[in-house]
Amino acid sequence: MRHHLTLIFAAMFAVTAMAAAQNPTPDPTVPPPTQHPILIVTGKGVQIYACQQTATGPQWVFRAPEATLTDAAGNNVGIHEAGPIWKSKDGSVVRGELLQKSASPEPSAIPWLLLKAVGPSGPGIMTKVEFIRRSDTVGGMAPAMGCDAQHLNAAARIPYTATYSFYSAKP
């Protein structure tokens, strides 16, 4: 009887392990399933950091992004800047509020994000956006060195690229 229980528990463990391997932890930056991408662009620019005094000493502190947004054909379709906000060439603007953050699979890249779209304005595509996802990041991390008492208020502009996907429940 004891041998049968051991075999049953071993089989249950194997099935559980296989299920876990087939169902990895879901990406927290994926929007709700009711959402559909209405615009996908590449952001290319810089992440701006300032050397500031913090409770633990001088540190690079994120200030703002500054990027050009291009579509799949390479056309400039807008900009991304402090706020964070995204401005489309069609005159529409949207701001994002952070909901989720996930480390990039690329260790030297800024995290992937899921943001809730807030405060849309102007006529155009950004007024339809409900969620914004930053993914496929390359670069953009704060410098590892160069921020000390002699360099307070210095700025660093670190190149990065990312995919920005704009989602809506309504196509």
Side-chain angles (χ1 to χ4, degrees):
M1 177 74 172
R2 188 181 277 181
H3 178 69
H4 292 306
L5 285 176
T6 302
L7 288 174
I8 290 171
F9 284 124
M12 288 173 51
F13 177 77
V15 169
T16 302
M18 284 175 38
Q22 292 173 353
N23 296 319
T25 305
D27 181 346
T29 68
V30 173
T34 57
Q35 296 288 309
H36 308 284
I38 59 170
L39 176 66
I40 299 173
V41 298
T42 298
K44 184 175 184 177
V46 295
Q47 296 282 305
I48 304 168
Y49 297 89
C51 178
Q52 301 210 318
Q53 184 65 43
T54 69
T56 58
Q59 273 189 323
W60 289 109
V61 176
F62 177 72
R63 282 289 159 234
E66 193 176 277
T68 300
L69 305 175
T70 55
D71 63 16
N75 300 310
N76 179 343
V77 295
I79 60 171
H80 174 40
E81 57 189 23
I85 61 171
W86 292 263
K87 294 180 179 178
S88 172
K89 283 198 159 190
D90 67 11
S92 60
V93 178
V94 69
R95 187 171 62 81
E97 287 183 355
L98 182 64
L99 293 175
Q100 296 287 334
K101 181 188 274 192
S102 179
S104 171
E106 176 62 43
S108 63
I110 53 177
W112 292 17
L113 306 175
L114 178 64
L115 303 107
K116 174 77 174 145
V118 294
S121 64
I125 194 159
M126 295 300 181
T127 58
K128 299 174 186 174
V129 175
E130 296 175 41
F131 290 91
I132 304 148
R133 181 178 190 228
R134 179 176 78 186
S135 63
D136 307 314
T137 55
V138 176
M141 294 287 282
M145 302 180 339
C147 181
D148 54 35
Q150 291 75 37
H151 295 94
L152 291 176
N153 299 317
R157 298 170 62 85
I158 309 301
Y160 89 105
T161 60
T163 298
Y164 291 101
S165 302
F166 299 88
Y167 290 85
S168 176
K170 301 169 245 121

